[in-house]
Amino acid sequence: MGYYISVEQNVNIFVEDLDPGHGKPILFIHGWPLNHKQFEYQFNQLPKMGYRCIGIDLRGFGKSDRPWKGYSYNRLADDIRIVIDTLQLEDITLAGHSMGGAIAIRYMARHAGHKVSKLVLIGAAAFTRRPFGLTKEEVKRWERTWNDLIEATYIDRPKMLDGVGDVFFARYVTESFKDWFHGLGIEASGHATAMCAVSLRDEDLGQDLSKIYVPTGIFHGIHDKVCPFKFAELMHAQIKGSELIPFMYSGHGLFYEEWEKFNRELIRFIG
């Protein structure tokens, strides 16, 4: 079932709710620059096992409205809160990938984990503002990379997306899958894509991790070139009682590259 939820005047968020009213709810937050359809290989399996999968398109992405403003982590986390309250969700597993993981972290800190009983961080972009463990020159190169992505978004977004796709997966994916994946990014607003890249570059989650008090699973690909595995180790060290689940054969796209293990570990973690 797909429908829209109003999060502020003239801004509606698209929600896909599989098997509404039944099973433990898992609320998925997609990564940059994709949409909820990235979780297709979870949505077509987990409901069979009794889980209610809810995917949202963040503002500016997928089928959601495309306002000119509102792409800070605070605003995006507030959108999540409105979706949760509108659907009257309880005992949620909040699962965020990449930028979606960063938004999930901000949600937990800003809204005190409202209605969330477990948190799953999937290749989470937790340290893009302060990439720990890098030399000064590497940090400068990291910042240039984000600046180049933002500039390329406004000049030749399809080519920019091709470049993102080239580093997203560590394992072989077919050309057909690449085309499908590229199409998810194309569905987004170009301006929203750029503004969220600015947030990824500039937002700081340094004070947020210590405010997470629910059981947290950190799912991360060993070969991740977008959010290095070091991010996972740092999150594990800073989130009390968290569990680190490495994916030995995956890059940033572990939800697809090892989708059977991913689904199995997600079910185990939720319980």
Side-chain angles (χ1 to χ4, degrees), residues 17-45:
D17 189 353
L18 282 74
D19 202 17
H22 299 89
K24 292 183 179 180
I26 311 172
L27 180 59
F28 291 87
I29 310 176
H30 65 81
W32 178 91
L34 307 171
N35 58 58
H36 81 281
K37 289 186 283 188
Q38 75 169 81
F39 295 112
E40 175 176 337
Y41 297 89
Q42 285 67 58
F43 293 167
N44 62 17
Q45 297 295 328

Short mmCIF file of all heavy atoms in Angstrom, two decimals, residues 17-45:
data_model
loop_
_atom_site.label_atom_id
_atom_site.label_comp_id
_atom_site.label_asym_id
_atom_site.label_seq_id
_atom_site.Cartn_x
_atom_site.Cartn_y
_atom_site.Cartn_z
N ASP A 17 3.83 0.92 2.61
CA ASP A 17 3.60 0.15 3.83
C ASP A 17 3.13 -1.24 3.43
O ASP A 17 2.00 -1.43 2.98
CB ASP A 17 2.56 0.87 4.68
CG ASP A 17 2.40 0.27 6.07
OD1 ASP A 17 3.00 -0.78 6.35
OD2 ASP A 17 1.68 0.88 6.89
N LEU A 18 4.02 -2.22 3.60
CA LEU A 18 3.68 -3.59 3.25
C LEU A 18 3.01 -4.27 4.43
O LEU A 18 3.53 -4.24 5.55
CB LEU A 18 4.93 -4.37 2.83
CG LEU A 18 5.45 -4.11 1.41
CD1 LEU A 18 6.12 -2.76 1.29
CD2 LEU A 18 6.41 -5.21 0.98
N ASP A 19 1.88 -4.86 4.18
CA ASP A 19 1.11 -5.58 5.18
C ASP A 19 0.79 -4.71 6.39
O ASP A 19 1.13 -5.06 7.53
CB ASP A 19 1.88 -6.84 5.63
CG ASP A 19 0.95 -7.89 6.23
OD1 ASP A 19 -0.27 -7.80 6.02
OD2 ASP A 19 1.45 -8.80 6.92
N PRO A 20 0.16 -3.54 6.18
CA PRO A 20 -0.12 -2.62 7.28
C PRO A 20 -0.96 -3.28 8.37
O PRO A 20 -1.90 -4.01 8.09
CB PRO A 20 -0.86 -1.47 6.61
CG PRO A 20 -1.38 -2.01 5.33
CD PRO A 20 -0.40 -3.05 4.91
N GLY A 21 -0.59 -2.99 9.61
CA GLY A 21 -1.34 -3.50 10.75
C GLY A 21 -0.91 -4.87 11.21
O GLY A 21 -1.44 -5.39 12.19
N HIS A 22 0.07 -5.48 10.53
CA HIS A 22 0.48 -6.83 10.89
C HIS A 22 2.00 -6.90 11.05
O HIS A 22 2.74 -6.30 10.28
CB HIS A 22 0.04 -7.84 9.83
CG HIS A 22 -1.43 -7.90 9.62
ND1 HIS A 22 -2.09 -7.09 8.72
CD2 HIS A 22 -2.39 -8.66 10.22
CE1 HIS A 22 -3.39 -7.36 8.76
NE2 HIS A 22 -3.60 -8.29 9.65
N GLY A 23 2.44 -7.65 12.03
CA GLY A 23 3.86 -7.93 12.20
C GLY A 23 4.64 -6.80 12.84
O GLY A 23 4.18 -5.67 12.99
N LYS A 24 5.88 -7.13 13.24
CA LYS A 24 6.77 -6.13 13.83
C LYS A 24 7.16 -5.11 12.76
O LYS A 24 7.64 -5.49 11.69
CB LYS A 24 8.02 -6.81 14.38
CG LYS A 24 7.79 -7.70 15.59
CD LYS A 24 9.11 -8.26 16.10
CE LYS A 24 8.89 -9.14 17.33
NZ LYS A 24 10.18 -9.68 17.83
N PRO A 25 7.03 -3.82 13.05
CA PRO A 25 7.34 -2.82 12.02
C PRO A 25 8.84 -2.55 11.90
O PRO A 25 9.54 -2.39 12.90
CB PRO A 25 6.60 -1.58 12.50
CG PRO A 25 6.51 -1.74 13.98
CD PRO A 25 6.43 -3.22 14.25
N ILE A 26 9.31 -2.53 10.66
CA ILE A 26 10.67 -2.08 10.34
C ILE A 26 10.53 -0.88 9.44
O ILE A 26 9.96 -0.97 8.35
CB ILE A 26 11.48 -3.17 9.62
CG1 ILE A 26 11.39 -4.52 10.34
CG2 ILE A 26 12.94 -2.74 9.50
CD1 ILE A 26 12.02 -5.67 9.56
N LEU A 27 11.02 0.26 9.89
CA LEU A 27 10.95 1.48 9.10
C LEU A 27 12.31 1.71 8.45
O LEU A 27 13.32 1.92 9.13
CB LEU A 27 10.58 2.67 9.99
CG LEU A 27 10.46 4.03 9.30
CD1 LEU A 27 9.40 4.01 8.20
CD2 LEU A 27 10.15 5.12 10.32
N PHE A 28 12.35 1.66 7.11
CA PHE A 28 13.59 1.77 6.35
C PHE A 28 13.78 3.20 5.85
O PHE A 28 12.87 3.79 5.25
CB PHE A 28 13.55 0.83 5.15
CG PHE A 28 13.62 -0.63 5.48
CD1 PHE A 28 12.47 -1.35 5.77
CD2 PHE A 28 14.83 -1.30 5.48
CE1 PHE A 28 12.52 -2.70 6.06
CE2 PHE A 28 14.90 -2.65 5.78
CZ PHE A 28 13.74 -3.36 6.07
N ILE A 29 14.98 3.74 6.07
CA ILE A 29 15.35 5.05 5.54
C ILE A 29 16.45 4.85 4.51
O ILE A 29 17.53 4.34 4.83
CB ILE A 29 15.84 6.00 6.64
CG1 ILE A 29 14.86 6.03 7.82
CG2 ILE A 29 16.04 7.41 6.07
CD1 ILE A 29 15.35 6.87 8.98
N HIS A 30 16.18 5.24 3.29
CA HIS A 30 17.11 4.98 2.19
C HIS A 30 18.33 5.90 2.24
O HIS A 30 18.38 6.90 2.98
CB HIS A 30 16.40 5.14 0.84
CG HIS A 30 15.93 6.54 0.56
ND1 HIS A 30 16.77 7.53 0.07
CD2 HIS A 30 14.71 7.13 0.69
CE1 HIS A 30 16.09 8.64 -0.09
NE2 HIS A 30 14.83 8.44 0.28
N GLY A 31 19.31 5.56 1.43
CA GLY A 31 20.53 6.34 1.34
C GLY A 31 20.50 7.36 0.22
O GLY A 31 19.56 7.42 -0.58
N TRP A 32 21.55 8.16 0.17
CA TRP A 32 21.74 9.16 -0.89
C TRP A 32 22.37 8.47 -2.08
O TRP A 32 23.30 7.69 -1.93
CB TRP A 32 22.67 10.26 -0.36
CG TRP A 32 23.00 11.34 -1.34
CD1 TRP A 32 22.33 12.51 -1.51
CD2 TRP A 32 24.10 11.40 -2.26
NE1 TRP A 32 22.93 13.28 -2.48
CE2 TRP A 32 24.03 12.61 -2.96
CE3 TRP A 32 25.14 10.52 -2.57
CZ2 TRP A 32 24.95 12.98 -3.94
CZ3 TRP A 32 26.06 10.87 -3.54
CH2 TRP A 32 25.96 12.08 -4.22
N PRO A 33 21.90 8.75 -3.30
CA PRO A 33 20.79 9.62 -3.71
C PRO A 33 19.63 8.77 -4.23
O PRO A 33 19.15 8.97 -5.34
CB PRO A 33 21.43 10.42 -4.84
CG PRO A 33 22.37 9.42 -5.52
CD PRO A 33 22.77 8.42 -4.47
N LEU A 34 19.19 7.81 -3.43
CA LEU A 34 18.28 6.77 -3.89
C LEU A 34 16.85 7.02 -3.40
O LEU A 34 16.43 8.15 -3.24
CB LEU A 34 18.81 5.40 -3.43
CG LEU A 34 20.27 5.13 -3.83
CD1 LEU A 34 20.80 3.87 -3.15
CD2 LEU A 34 20.40 5.02 -5.35
N ASN A 35 16.07 5.96 -3.20
CA ASN A 35 14.74 6.06 -2.61
C ASN A 35 14.39 4.71 -2.00
O ASN A 35 15.23 3.79 -1.99
CB ASN A 35 13.69 6.53 -3.63
CG ASN A 35 13.59 5.62 -4.85
OD1 ASN A 35 13.32 4.42 -4.73
ND2 ASN A 35 13.81 6.19 -6.03
N HIS A 36 13.18 4.57 -1.49
CA HIS A 36 12.84 3.37 -0.72
C HIS A 36 12.95 2.09 -1.53
O HIS A 36 13.11 1.00 -0.97
CB HIS A 36 11.43 3.50 -0.14
CG HIS A 36 10.33 3.18 -1.10
ND1 HIS A 36 9.89 4.05 -2.08
CD2 HIS A 36 9.59 2.04 -1.25
CE1 HIS A 36 8.92 3.48 -2.76
NE2 HIS A 36 8.72 2.27 -2.29
N LYS A 37 12.91 2.20 -2.86
CA LYS A 37 12.95 0.99 -3.69
C LYS A 37 14.31 0.29 -3.66
O LYS A 37 14.43 -0.84 -4.14
CB LYS A 37 12.56 1.34 -5.13
CG LYS A 37 11.06 1.65 -5.27
CD LYS A 37 10.64 1.84 -6.70
CE LYS A 37 11.04 3.19 -7.25
NZ LYS A 37 10.46 3.46 -8.59
N GLN A 38 15.32 0.93 -3.07
CA GLN A 38 16.60 0.25 -2.93
C GLN A 38 16.47 -1.00 -2.07
O GLN A 38 17.30 -1.91 -2.17
CB GLN A 38 17.66 1.18 -2.33
CG GLN A 38 17.52 1.42 -0.83
CD GLN A 38 18.71 2.11 -0.22
OE1 GLN A 38 18.82 3.33 -0.31
NE2 GLN A 38 19.60 1.37 0.41
N PHE A 39 15.44 -1.06 -1.22
CA PHE A 39 15.24 -2.19 -0.32
C PHE A 39 14.32 -3.26 -0.90
O PHE A 39 13.71 -4.03 -0.16
CB PHE A 39 14.69 -1.69 1.02
CG PHE A 39 15.63 -0.81 1.79
CD1 PHE A 39 15.35 0.54 1.96
CD2 PHE A 39 16.80 -1.32 2.33
CE1 PHE A 39 16.20 1.36 2.67
CE2 PHE A 39 17.67 -0.50 3.04
CZ PHE A 39 17.38 0.85 3.21
N GLU A 40 14.23 -3.32 -2.21
CA GLU A 40 13.35 -4.29 -2.86
C GLU A 40 13.62 -5.72 -2.37
O GLU A 40 12.68 -6.50 -2.18
CB GLU A 40 13.54 -4.23 -4.38
CG GLU A 40 12.76 -5.29 -5.14
CD GLU A 40 12.88 -5.15 -6.65
OE1 GLU A 40 13.17 -4.04 -7.13
OE2 GLU A 40 12.67 -6.16 -7.34
N TYR A 41 14.88 -6.06 -2.16
CA TYR A 41 15.23 -7.43 -1.82
C TYR A 41 15.03 -7.73 -0.33
O TYR A 41 15.26 -8.85 0.11
CB TYR A 41 16.65 -7.73 -2.30
CG TYR A 41 16.70 -7.61 -3.82
CD1 TYR A 41 16.98 -6.40 -4.43
CD2 TYR A 41 16.35 -8.68 -4.63
CE1 TYR A 41 16.95 -6.27 -5.81
CE2 TYR A 41 16.33 -8.57 -6.01
CZ TYR A 41 16.63 -7.35 -6.58
OH TYR A 41 16.59 -7.21 -7.95
N GLN A 42 14.61 -6.75 0.40
CA GLN A 42 14.08 -6.95 1.75
C GLN A 42 12.55 -6.98 1.70
O GLN A 42 11.91 -7.85 2.30
CB GLN A 42 14.55 -5.84 2.69
CG GLN A 42 16.00 -5.95 3.12
CD GLN A 42 16.99 -5.76 1.98
OE1 GLN A 42 16.99 -4.72 1.33
NE2 GLN A 42 17.83 -6.75 1.73
N PHE A 43 11.97 -6.06 0.93
CA PHE A 43 10.52 -5.94 0.90
C PHE A 43 9.84 -7.17 0.28
O PHE A 43 8.69 -7.46 0.61
CB PHE A 43 10.09 -4.70 0.10
CG PHE A 43 10.46 -3.39 0.76
CD1 PHE A 43 10.39 -2.21 0.05
CD2 PHE A 43 10.89 -3.34 2.07
CE1 PHE A 43 10.73 -0.99 0.63
CE2 PHE A 43 11.23 -2.13 2.67
CZ PHE A 43 11.15 -0.96 1.95
N ASN A 44 10.53 -7.87 -0.61
CA ASN A 44 9.89 -9.04 -1.21
C ASN A 44 10.17 -10.33 -0.45
O ASN A 44 9.76 -11.41 -0.89
CB ASN A 44 10.26 -9.18 -2.70
CG ASN A 44 11.74 -9.38 -2.94
OD1 ASN A 44 12.49 -9.72 -2.04
ND2 ASN A 44 12.17 -9.15 -4.17
N GLN A 45 10.84 -10.23 0.70
CA GLN A 45 11.13 -11.42 1.50
C GLN A 45 10.62 -11.31 2.94
O GLN A 45 9.99 -12.24 3.44
CB GLN A 45 12.65 -11.66 1.52
CG GLN A 45 13.27 -11.96 0.17
CD GLN A 45 12.79 -13.26 -0.44
OE1 GLN A 45 12.49 -14.21 0.29
NE2 GLN A 45 12.71 -13.31 -1.76
#
